[in-house]
Amino acid sequence: MEPAVKPEQLELLPAVDVRAGQAVRLVHGESGTETSYGDPLQAALTWQRAGAAWLHLVDLDAAFGTGDNREHIGEVVRAMEIRVELSGGIRDDASLAAALATGCTRVNLGTAALESPEWVARVIAEHGDRIAVGLDVRGTTLRGRGWTRDGGDLFETLERLDREGCARYVVTDINKDGTLQGPNLELLRKVCAATDRPVVASGGVSSLEDLRALAGLVPEGVEGAIVGKALYAGAFTLQEALAVVAGAGAGGAA
Ligand SMILES: O=C(O)c1ccccc1N[C@@H]1O[C@H](COP(=O)(O)O)[C@@H](O)[C@H]1O
């Protein structure tokens, strides 16, 4: 596989997580902690209008095994003129085909990477960089099935996926997710040191200062940052965030 070209600046991926047809944010990814932010299409359009180049879109019901939001997800992807990273419940040929058929730019596999390694190796070989793997961790233990089950060691799994040609990782620190406590920079540095593949950081972003810190990790391999709660809670606007990462330049924190 060709090495990915390192971006000059941190990509921002505002998140729209869909549960029971609503855009929601969770705390630590725990079912039952939802705060609702209304129609997912309106949320996605808000981020698109504000200048996002990417949308991180999650079908939370599919991830938890409590149904799915396929109609809402399809509607959102169709309305986007920007790139979409789609995740949640993509675990077999049928769900992968349906996800790719939405027109999303890439999909993010979580549970399948832990439970179905042979299938994941095959779809990585077939679809290349349309497949990313979500490494959702507590400490350095991976979690699957709606983050309710342990799924092995982060670094052993990373080594296997690297060997199989995985193009990119989305690394979520579950302890930080939805908490506005700041990203786990140490974890991100360790993952970047263990792989030459680009890493999208997820979990904990709370301030523009956090984004500057993540922009400082671009030279180490952090390609992007998923921003959820901070945007919905109004900690900063997406325009402010985009200005900060543009100002941070070629990976250097401003
Ligand atoms: O994003 C969340 O808050 C979240 C919470 C709990 C479970 C999953 C969550 N999101 C993403 O869903 C996929 C995993 O889905 P699956 O295991 O492949 O079905 C992964 O990208 C998570 O980051």
Side-chain angles (χ1 to χ4, degrees):
M1 165 167 310
E2 290 293 310
V5 178
K6 284 207 171 128
E8 297 237 321
Q9 70 180 54
L10 188 73
E11 287 166 350
L12 294 184
L13 299 87
V16 174
D17 290 15
V18 187
R19 184 129 214 222
Q22 297 289 297
V24 300
R25 301 309 309 158
L26 305 180
V27 182
H28 300 308
E30 275 172 29
S31 189
T33 63
E34 290 87 341
T35 303
S36 182
Y37 294 94
D39 181 8
L41 177 60
Q42 290 312 315
L45 287 169
T46 299
W47 308 137
Q48 177 168 270
R49 280 189 213 109
W54 277 96
L55 183 75
H56 175 77
L57 182 61
V58 183
D59 186 338
L60 277 181
D61 283 298
F64 283 117
T66 52
D68 67 70
N69 296 277
R70 275 201 189 169
E71 282 177 25
H72 289 95
I73 296 285
E75 183 185 36
V76 171
V77 180
R78 282 193 298 279
M80 291 296 101
E81 290 159 8
I82 60 176
R83 288 169 282 179
V84 177
E85 172 177 271
L86 178 58
S87 64
I90 305 167
R91 300 179 187 175
D92 56 22
D93 285 330
S95 50
L96 176 62
L100 293 173
T102 61
C104 68
T105 308
R106 66 178 179 239
V107 299
N108 190 25
L109 309 178
T111 301
L114 312 179
E115 297 185 359
S116 311
E118 286 168 16
W119 179 76
V120 169
R122 174 163 67 76
V123 300
I124 285 172
E126 275 174 24
H127 298 285
D129 71 0
R130 286 196 83 192
I131 307 281
V133 168
L135 299 168
D136 304 326
V137 291
R138 273 192 197 278
T140 57
T141 301
L142 291 157
R143 302 280 283 176
R145 301 217 167 241
W147 298 351
T148 60
R149 282 200 213 161
D150 283 353
D153 176 71
L154 166 62
F155 294 103
E156 283 171 19
T157 303
L158 188 59
E159 204 181 315
R160 163 175 55 87
L161 290 162
D162 265 5
R163 272 200 310 274
E164 289 163 354
C166 184
R168 158 179 294 97
Y169 302 104
V170 178
V171 176
T172 304
D173 182 343
I174 296 170
N175 288 333
K176 297 276 191 176
D177 204 51
T179 65
L180 297 173
Q181 286 177 356
N184 186 339
L185 302 175
E186 193 190 337
L187 170 72
L188 292 164
R189 277 202 190 92
K190 284 183 181 161
V191 172
C192 288
T195 180
D196 60 357
R197 313 300 149 79
V199 168
V200 176
S202 175
V205 170
S206 68
S207 65
L208 295 174
E209 207 42 55
D210 289 340
L211 294 178
R212 286 190 191 95
L214 289 169
L217 296 185
V218 169
E220 292 179 46
V222 173
E223 175 188 69
I226 294 170
V227 190
K229 188 75 167 273
L231 287 174
Y232 289 89
F236 49 77
T237 66
L238 185 58
Q239 290 93 333
E240 287 170 331
L242 290 165
V244 159
V245 297

